[in-house]
Amino acid sequence: MSHDVSALPGRFDVAVIGAGVVGCALARRFALAGARVAVIEKAVDILDGASKGNSAILHTGFDAPVGSLEQSCVAAGYAEYLEIHGKLGLPLIKSGALVVAWSEEEEALLPTLMEQAHQNGVADVEALDETAMRSAEPGLGKGARVAFRVPREYLIDPWSAPYAYLLQAIENGAEILRGAEVTAGRRSDNGWVLETSRGTVDAGLVINAAGLWGDLLDEKLIGRRDFHIKPRKGQFVVYDKPAAKLASHILLPVPNKITKGVVVCRTAFGNLLVGPTAEDQDDREHAVLVTETLEALKKRGEEILPALKDQQVTAIYAGLRPATEFKDYRITAHDRTYITVGGIRSTGLSAALGIAQHVLKLAELNLAAPADPVWPTVPNISEFSPRDWQTEGHGGIVCHCELATKREIQKALDGPLPTKSLAGLKRRTRVTMGRCQGFFCSAEIARLTEGHFDRPMAEKAQ
């Protein structure tokens, strides 16, 4: 049974605007606290904005600004993910990270970064001289000098996690309205009436988690914005699965004031990725891939791991991060009826659960938590745990590159939070994301998804 609705009648305690990873975590936290929650998303599927493209790492926050809101939210989110991932069926792949210095200047910065990690409560970082570094990662390029290890950095599935958060919210009473852009809002005697492209929503508390559009939504609803989103594009190169054996750690550069830099790491899906870039732009909707930039990214990847020269690239993608003119997150309770959650940049996946904890405290609602909350589990699509194709009755493998089955596709289309687009189906099952990029399976997927998508696969973009 689908919990999607065509309208949201009645009064809600909380309306969360935006169904990215932060919005999904907020919906979960408030639903588990006992609130009646509405989630409003302008796209036809969840995770369609900044959350669709990231490095898929669960960070300790060792390099976050000491004493910042970002650091506290990352630490809390990290801890809660470790606590709940098993109950929700989410993967946690032990990897650890190496912060590698490639110049004398970077090497000089490592002691300061290690001290910063200690101040952030990450006390188990370990300095490695060149011999120890190369013992840990024999494939590193000649330019690597020294490193330090962060043992408790993990790889996770960046899409199943927010899906699980929102699914748990829904199974505990939340409702979602997709394809609904918030066009206006007016204050009522005890909250807000939000106007959307699919009707009105009445809520006591509005939480702006609109990501790349958060500052404009503030301006629309409360008449001002306290920050300005400047989208920061990150392009990625994804190598075929045999490349994953080239690195056992997440390979991090020494960060600078603008970006954490280019990362090389395995993924939960058995690939190896290189990225992201950090390119500021004005366009909030389109993350255009640039051939010259991708070639430079490949070159940098090959400097870090020279053996990548012999590996095949199977995918390229780009995402936008909602950067602002400020270093820290922009989370503000403007009054008892409106909270802005903005400027959540590259650490949003790790911090989302912690952000939700922080916002619940800001809200100061008088709620009664359910005595026995529902804990749904989500299907595993990670390469590091058993997959559906390994069990009987799966109906056949549809996408052979990613071993996605007919049963997995049908569950994604018919479950309590059904996917409404090919992009959403990709994030739920990995279909078309392998070596052939959908060349062999697209016709069968089009047949299976007929009548389920807002725009059928066979329909040409206008």
Side-chain angles (χ1 to χ4, degrees):
M1 174 185 171
S2 169
H3 289 258
D4 251 306
V5 292
S6 57
L8 292 176
R11 179 172 174 79
F12 292 86
D13 299 307
V14 180
V16 177
I17 303 173
V21 62
V22 173
C24 293
L26 286 163
R28 171 186 176 272
R29 175 48 53 202
F30 277 87
L32 291 178
R36 185 172 186 236
V37 179
V39 180
I40 307 169
E41 169 55 51
K42 73 174 183 177
V44 298
D45 241 318
I46 69 171
L47 313 180
D48 202 55
S51 296
K52 66 186 175 186
N54 59 63
S55 303
I57 298 169
L58 183 67
H59 286 295
T60 57
F62 75 93
D63 58 348
V66 176
S68 65
L69 179 58
E70 178 182 18
Q71 187 278 323
S72 64
C73 288
V74 170
Y78 175 96
E80 186 171 356
Y81 187 92
L82 294 185
E83 179 186 339
I84 70 172
H85 76 277
K87 293 178 74 172
L88 293 174
L90 297 171
L92 182 72
I93 301 148
K94 189 171 184 179
S95 176
L98 294 187
V99 180
V100 182
W102 295 86
S103 68
E104 187 176 344
E105 293 77 14
E106 289 183 351
E107 183 176 349
L109 293 173
L110 292 191
T112 300
L113 280 172
M114 293 181 67
E115 175 57 28
Q116 184 175 347
H118 289 146
Q119 292 181 47
N120 283 332
V122 184
D124 55 353
V125 294
E126 173 192 8
L128 304 179
D129 61 18
E130 184 174 2
T131 301
M133 175 189 69
R134 294 194 180 279
S135 175
E137 288 293 347
L140 282 170
K142 292 181 180 179
R145 298 169 66 91
V146 294
F148 69 83
R149 193 198 321 259
V150 189
R152 293 180 292 112
E153 300 267 306
Y154 293 95
L155 304 172
I156 63 174
D157 176 347
W159 303 312
S160 293
Y163 167 58
Y165 303 159
L166 185 54
L167 181 62
Q168 187 173 27
I170 287 171
E171 296 284 24
N172 286 280
E175 297 187 62
I176 183 168
L177 190 65
R178 289 184 279 186
E181 181 176 359
V182 174
T183 56
R186 65 182 185 276
R187 293 185 184 271
S188 62
D189 291 339
N190 53 358
W192 285 83
V193 176
L194 297 174
E195 303 288 343
T196 83
S197 53
R198 293 183 60 189
T200 61
V201 178
D202 185 1
L205 170 65
V206 170
I207 304 177
N208 172 2
L212 290 158
W213 304 89
D215 57 337
L216 299 183
L217 184 63
D218 270 359
E219 196 167 79
K220 183 183 292 184
L221 295 181
I222 63 173
R224 75 170 199 268
R225 46 177 162 168
D226 299 329
F227 59 91
H228 294 76
I229 296 292
K230 181 74 170 179
R232 184 164 294 152
K233 181 171 68 175
Q235 299 185 60
F236 293 84
V237 174
V238 181
Y239 288 84
D240 203 358
K241 296 179 191 292
K245 68 181 183 294
L246 299 180
S248 58
H249 290 81
I250 301 162
L251 302 178
L252 301 173
V254 176
N256 60 41
K257 292 181 179 180
I258 301 298
T259 175
K260 291 181 180 294
V262 173
V263 177
V264 176
C265 68
R266 295 172 294 151
T267 74
F269 313 116
N271 302 94
L272 185 138
L273 65 78
V274 178
T277 58
E279 307 160 63
D280 289 339
Q281 63 178 50
D282 294 323
D283 190 338
R284 298 176 188 238
E285 295 190 59
H286 306 102
V288 177
L289 292 162
V290 180
T291 301
E292 294 79 10
T293 305
L294 292 166
E295 287 298 323
L297 201 53
K298 281 182 60 182
K299 181 180 178 181
R300 181 57 189 147
E302 292 166 4
E303 291 169 353
I304 296 169
L305 288 178
L308 280 177
K309 292 177 182 178
D310 301 321
Q311 300 296 322
Q312 183 179 2
V313 172
T314 57
I316 50 177
Y317 68 97
L320 297 176
R321 311 191 282 279
T324 74
E325 67 270 41
F326 300 99
K327 184 82 172 170
D328 206 355
Y329 295 166
R330 314 316 298 167
I331 301 179
T332 305
H334 297 277
D335 55 41
R336 296 184 66 86
T337 67
Y338 191 93
I339 298 175
T340 298
V341 182
I344 313 300
R345 299 162 302 153
S346 57
T347 51
L349 178 63
S350 300
L353 295 170
I355 291 169
Q357 294 176 30
H358 177 71
V359 174
L360 180 64
K361 292 175 184 175
L362 289 180
E364 297 181 338
L365 298 181
N366 185 18
L367 300 169
D372 190 20
V374 180
W375 283 85
T377 58
V378 295
N380 171 64
I381 57 173
S382 162
E383 291 287 304
F384 294 83
S385 296
R387 294 279 306 280
D388 188 65
W389 65 268
Q390 296 168 296
T391 62
E392 294 183 357
H394 56 65
I397 295 174
V398 176
C399 174
H400 285 265
C401 295
E402 293 299 319
L403 299 174
T405 68
K406 181 178 180 181
R407 178 168 58 194
E408 285 178 305
I409 294 169
Q410 289 174 330
K411 283 183 176 179
L413 295 171
D414 299 326
L417 185 56
T419 184
K420 299 288 189 179
S421 67
L422 177 60
L425 186 64
K426 289 181 179 184
R427 294 189 283 269
R428 296 274 288 276
T429 64
R430 294 282 297 162
V431 294
T432 78
M433 298 185 81
R435 294 178 182 89
C436 81
Q437 293 289 290
F439 182 84
F440 291 104
C441 61
S442 288
E444 177 64 4
I445 293 169
R447 186 185 70 78
L448 291 172
T449 59
E450 187 174 356
H452 290 276
F453 290 169
D454 281 33
R455 170 175 284 182
M457 287 178 62
E459 180 181 310
K460 293 183 179 179
Q462 298 299 314

